[in-house]
């Protein structure tokens, strides 16, 4: 029988990704939407999470597709009410609140899934397998997109806790931490803040790799024209290039995967598995690198940004 | 028999605190100093950690009193050589590198102690016991000191990874995370950066408390005259004031503890216990709050700072 699910936050990502992914998965039945603004045709619509929890006690699972700043409060209320919870990335606006949610889920015996949708891109398992059998020499992340195109009018990304260019950048870091056979750590960062904004528009990161590989990431939100979401790796036995955010993989210049975007579909498959097995999946390593970049990064002020 | 110890970094904190604390503890024998500049009379002096590890394989334990920026490299080399390692606070310049050191210590079966000296101040256990039996209503940290007096000429504190005013502020956060009966998380921060420096000179933090107490911290490095290292708490049954960084405790206005500074002496007692029992002590919660403050904080530019 399908689990009854409520989706909180009916914005761009909910309409583009969550709603189609839920609709295509027989394990889930979308029963309610929570949003101050928009509803979803044909299902219950509530203004607040409190109203949802009060009026629809039969709903077992809450998926949060709201910005990170208010997410803790919603998630904590749902977990305390005994609901399974699925968090959009990043899982919160602070690491400590994510650890607190993890503890709440344990305490209430429910599933918490801190999702990283990019990890579910078609090429990620193949890149991981490629790296598992080789010695890495060089890894370069290039994640450059046009913020006006992907976040039109979203002021929250420029507010503290909105992470700025790390909002897409953390997707790359979620792939990095998934495909590498060992953990790495940041050694330096430069963060470019528009003079009128609280979060960065560009960032350059360098990492220390335990086997001595050169490793860096270049995030930029000012890229017009073609968009770049690439990870290039060179190893002792060949090179690989992940592109289109993980849809495509080339090994030694030959295309080996040319997939499509199944990321959110895969997330809801994974969530169903976690609920069935009574487990949680909360890996904060991508967010730890972001917090490290903010604390270790050198700040540079750049041109003001307006949508 | 005393464990043979090497002290790395012979600066102000080594001379003021580490060397006397080691000298007063029969469980430790200071056998070598590693420093590019100063040595310690009467014991071996090495320029580099590599030289120490090569020339004195009989030394079992390495205590690192160097700035956080280079600490990972030293600690990793010592752990890989099978030495127990003691880290000054903060334990590194990034969270990820601290997790990596924890993994190395496990792998090599040695003790890693990420020290927080302020937790070993005389008043901390009493404040913890006071809070354990009461409901917190309000907690206010005021940590204001004169950077010129306590960090004369230390340029590293103004470099990325040096943390700025969080270098003393993390001491208050290490007490906070020790005395509270539950974890809390940051909800907002304001960071004041001198226009010519990479780290903040002042910070204001607010926290969410799970029982609804009001909680904040005020860090400032520009305080001349009397210095303030206070934590004020109000509960359902009385108030307490920790002051002098933890040397002194008042309950309902009455002095209950007027101690002295035994912090580093206590750290070396604790390290001896950890080595004897074959365990590690790596609690990163104070540093997680600092990283959260950097990622969530609103940056404000203020007057330039020169020593």
């Amino acid at each position: 029988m399908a689990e009854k699910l409520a989706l909180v936050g009916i914005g761009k990502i909910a309409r583009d990704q969550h709603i189609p992914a839920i609709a295509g998965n027989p394990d889930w039945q979308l029963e309610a939407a929570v949003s101050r603004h928009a509803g979803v045709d044909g299902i219950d619509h509530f203004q607040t999470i409190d109203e949802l929890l009060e009026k629809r006690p039969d709903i077992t699972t809450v998926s949060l597709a709201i910005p990170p700043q208010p997410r803790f409060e919603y998630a904590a209320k749902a977990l305390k009410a005994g609901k399974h919870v699925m968090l959009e990335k990043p899982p919160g606006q602070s690491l400590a609140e994510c650890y607190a949610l993890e503890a709440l889920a344990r305490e209430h015996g429910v599933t918490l899934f801190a999702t990283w949708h990019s990890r579910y891109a078609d090429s990620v398992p193949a890149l991981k397998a490629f790296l598992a059998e080789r010695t890495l020499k060089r890894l370069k992340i290039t994640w450059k997109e046009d913020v006006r195109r992907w976040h039109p009018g979203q002021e929250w990304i420029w507010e503290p806790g909105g992470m700025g260019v790390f909002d897409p950048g953390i997707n790359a870091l979620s792939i990095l931490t998934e495909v590498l056979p060992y953990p790495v750590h940041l050694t330096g960062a430069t963060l470019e803040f528009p003079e009128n904004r609280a979060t960065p528009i560009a960032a350059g990161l360098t990492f220390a790799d335990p086997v001595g590989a050169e490793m860096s990431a270049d995030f930029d939100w000012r890229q017009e024209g073609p968009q770049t979401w690439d990870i290039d790796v060179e190893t002792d036995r060949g090179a690989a290039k992940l592109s289109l955010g993980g849809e495509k993989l080339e090994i030694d210049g030959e295309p080996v995967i040319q997939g499509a975007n199944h990321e959110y579909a895969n997330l809801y498959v994974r969530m169903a598995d976690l609920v069935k097995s009574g487990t949680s999946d909360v890996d904060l390593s991508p967010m730890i690198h972001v917090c490290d970049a903010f604390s270790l990064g050198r700040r540079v002020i750049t041109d003001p940004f307006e949508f």
Side-chain angles (χ1 to χ4, degrees), chain A:
Chain A
M1 216 179 69
E3 294 275 342
K4 293 179 181 175
L5 183 124
L7 184 59
V8 180
I10 307 300
K12 180 167 165 53
I13 195 75
R15 296 194 180 281
D16 289 355
Q17 300 291 349
H18 288 263
I19 293 172
I22 296 162
N25 187 323
D27 283 332
W28 297 107
Q29 180 64 39
L30 186 59
E31 292 275 335
V34 178
S35 167
R36 250 170 285 168
H37 315 292
V40 175
D41 286 349
I43 60 170
D44 281 357
H45 175 218
F46 302 106
Q47 296 286 322
T48 67
I49 182 95
D50 299 291
E51 213 187 334
L52 168 77
L53 296 172
E54 189 195 321
K55 301 276 178 62
R56 290 295 305 267
D58 58 314
I59 286 177
T60 62
T61 305
V62 175
S63 181
L64 297 178
I66 51 178
Q69 290 95 338
R71 204 173 296 149
F72 174 80
E73 198 191 328
Y74 284 75
K77 282 180 175 175
L79 292 169
K80 286 178 186 170
K83 309 301 176 192
H84 308 298
V85 171
M86 189 166 159
L87 302 169
E88 247 299 349
K89 49 66 47 172
Q93 67 171 359
S94 72
L95 281 168
E97 72 183 46
C98 297
Y99 289 115
L101 291 180
E102 212 180 356
L104 273 178
R106 261 196 314 272
E107 188 186 330
H108 292 274
V110 291
T111 290
L112 178 65
F113 182 19
T115 69
W116 300 108
H117 63 81
S118 292
R119 286 187 175 174
Y120 293 81
D122 284 350
S123 294
V124 170
L127 182 56
K128 183 175 182 158
F130 178 83
L131 290 174
E133 295 173 350
R134 287 165 177 83
T135 302
L136 189 63
K137 300 290 182 194
R138 196 158 167 280
L139 184 149
K140 171 98 177 97
I141 295 171
T142 311
W143 225 252
K144 297 184 175 184
E145 60 174 51
D146 182 352
V147 61
R148 290 183 179 85
R149 190 156 138 199
W150 302 100
H151 292 276
Q154 293 179 15
E155 289 290 340
W156 64 265
I157 55 174
W158 297 111
E159 286 301 302
M163 286 195 176
V165 77
F166 287 100
D167 182 79
I170 205 169
N171 295 338
L173 297 175
S174 75
I175 295 177
L176 179 76
T177 47
E178 172 67 20
V179 298
L180 286 179
Y182 40 66
V184 292
H185 64 267
L186 201 77
T187 52
T190 301
L191 311 180
E192 293 182 55
F193 286 77
E195 65 176 34
N196 62 337
R197 299 291 182 173
T199 59
I201 196 164
L205 316 181
T206 54
F207 293 88
D209 172 291
V211 303
E214 228 177 278
M215 196 173 293
S216 62
D218 192 359
F219 301 152
D220 203 317
W221 243 355
R222 297 166 298 198
Q223 174 134 317
E224 298 177 5
Q227 307 284 286
T228 312
W229 300 287
D230 291 353
I231 300 179
D232 285 281
V233 302
E234 290 170 32
T235 74
D236 59 336
R237 293 187 293 117
K241 184 188 192 75
L242 176 150
S243 54
L244 301 176
E247 268 184 49
K248 191 174 168 191
L249 185 69
E250 289 177 1
I251 292 181
D252 295 327
E254 295 297 317
V256 293
I257 292 177
Q258 175 60 70
N261 189 334
H262 311 294
E263 297 175 17
Y264 282 78
N266 294 346
L267 285 184
Y268 280 92
V269 170
R270 171 77 173 148
M271 182 64 179
D273 288 345
L274 290 171
V275 169
K276 277 175 203 160
S277 63
T279 51
S280 284
D281 180 348
V282 183
D283 174 13
L284 300 177
S285 60
M287 189 158 160
I288 285 170
H289 290 312
V290 173
C291 288
D292 282 344
F294 273 100
S295 66
L296 187 52
R298 196 177 281 279
R299 281 162 235 5
V300 177
I301 304 301
T302 186
D303 296 341
F305 175 87
E306 302 296 348
F307 279 107

